[in-house]
Amino acid sequence: MATAALLLLVLAGGSCAVVSCSVTVESGEAGIKTTKFGPNPGVQPTELRPGWHWEGLGEKIIKYPTRQRVYSYTREGNADGQENEEIGFADQTGLPMTADVNMTVKVSDNKAADLYAKYRLNFDDLLDNPIRNDVRSFIAQEAEKVPVSCNLQAQQPVVEGATQPTAAPCTGSLMGAGRQAVIQRAYANLQRKWAAEGVEISNLQWVGTIRYPESITTAIQARTATEQRTLAAQQKEAEARANANALIETARGEAESIRLRGDALRANPQLIDQIYAQRSQGLCPPRASTCIIGQTPTTMIPATGQQAE
């Protein structure tokens, strides 16, 4: 019996040699060896470097990617998976919303074995489960500190006779620059946690816009329409004010011109005679008793308004 068992073992080893019981670890990967026999069974603490490695009896070599990768958590299917992986969270007032995010991630070459020993997950499962859970948790943690928008912040109903608390100042929002501030704070927390695990997360960004509740979208559209109408009214008001100011300035200029002209005429009576002579074209000299009008002489005394014979 012992001879037969030895023969079977030799045949098994020969068969393994024939089918090449080996694993080739490529560049950008780390080999993780697990064993069932020996003094230290389980995940071996030292990673296998790129190259050819023999997989002996009771051993298994797992290839673990260590190259940098961009992974997206989105509602629609993508190259990272066809399932819905959007990130859900809520604002300060409890309004639920979702968004797509992506991140740049890499496992340290000398931490792959420890990571696998702790989670017993391949790289894709690590991204789909514990890392995604932390992405969602850290974004939710930061989003719940701010409202969707300071202008849309929910107001508490006023109760007659009750003292209303002073509203806290709005220090941020999930719109505009506040949206980026939220995800950058979440990214800092995520990066700090997973760096200790040997996972280097070098970027975390929104993909597209946040998907707000319909009530918020309607309020945003209404506010935008109001702002546009207000801006148009302000422009019309400014135009009317400018036109009125122009008319006032024109009238002021004309009045000042008349005043100056009157002052000049009062100070220089001879100018009146000069103007009179210019307008009469010499036919009725100043202070003349007779003016020639038409073909016959007509007696006219401007000073008294009486006709001379």
Side-chain angles (χ1 to χ4, degrees), residues 47-157:
E47 292 82 8
L48 302 177
R49 312 313 300 169
W52 181 90
H53 298 277
W54 176 262
E55 196 174 63
L57 187 64
E59 295 180 346
K60 184 177 181 181
I61 297 176
I62 300 166
K63 296 194 292 185
Y64 208 90
T66 58
R67 66 180 66 88
Q68 182 171 280
R69 178 176 174 182
V70 176
Y71 193 92
S72 299
Y73 299 108
T74 61
R75 171 188 285 183
E76 306 298 332
N78 55 38
D80 297 318
Q82 296 304 308
E83 65 275 16
N84 181 358
E85 293 186 307
E86 64 183 339
I87 303 300
F89 50 95
D91 79 331
Q92 190 180 60
T93 62
L95 288 171
M97 57 201 74
T98 63
D100 300 336
V101 301
N102 66 21
M103 67 178 179
T104 304
V105 60
K106 178 183 182 299
V107 174
S108 301
D109 294 337
N110 61 346
K111 291 290 187 178
D114 292 340
L115 200 61
Y116 184 79
K118 180 176 181 178
Y119 292 97
R120 293 302 177 103
L121 296 172
N122 61 38
F123 189 49
D124 284 337
D125 289 339
L126 190 74
L127 291 170
D128 287 341
N129 294 284
I131 292 181
R132 180 176 179 272
N133 289 340
D134 281 339
V135 169
R136 181 176 54 214
S137 296
F138 286 127
I139 289 178
Q141 178 180 310
E142 296 302 324
E144 67 184 9
K145 297 177 182 178
V146 297
V148 172
S149 171
C150 294
N151 293 336
L152 299 176
Q153 192 168 8
Q155 300 295 321
Q156 296 181 354

Side-chain angles (χ1 to χ4, degrees), residues 8-23 52-59:
L8 287 174
L9 183 61
V10 170
L11 290 175
S15 176
C16 188
V18 171
V19 298
S20 185
C21 291
S22 63
V23 174
W52 181 90
H53 298 277
W54 176 262
E55 196 174 63
L57 187 64
E59 295 180 346

Side-chain angles (χ1 to χ4, degrees), residues 157-181:
V158 177
V159 179
E160 186 176 355
T163 303
Q164 298 299 318
T166 304
C170 186
T171 58
S173 70
L174 283 169
M175 290 185 179
R179 187 173 74 110
Q180 292 302 325

Side-chain angles (χ1 to χ4, degrees), residues 1-10:
M1 291 295 293
T3 303
L6 180 61
L7 181 60
L8 287 174
L9 183 61
V10 170

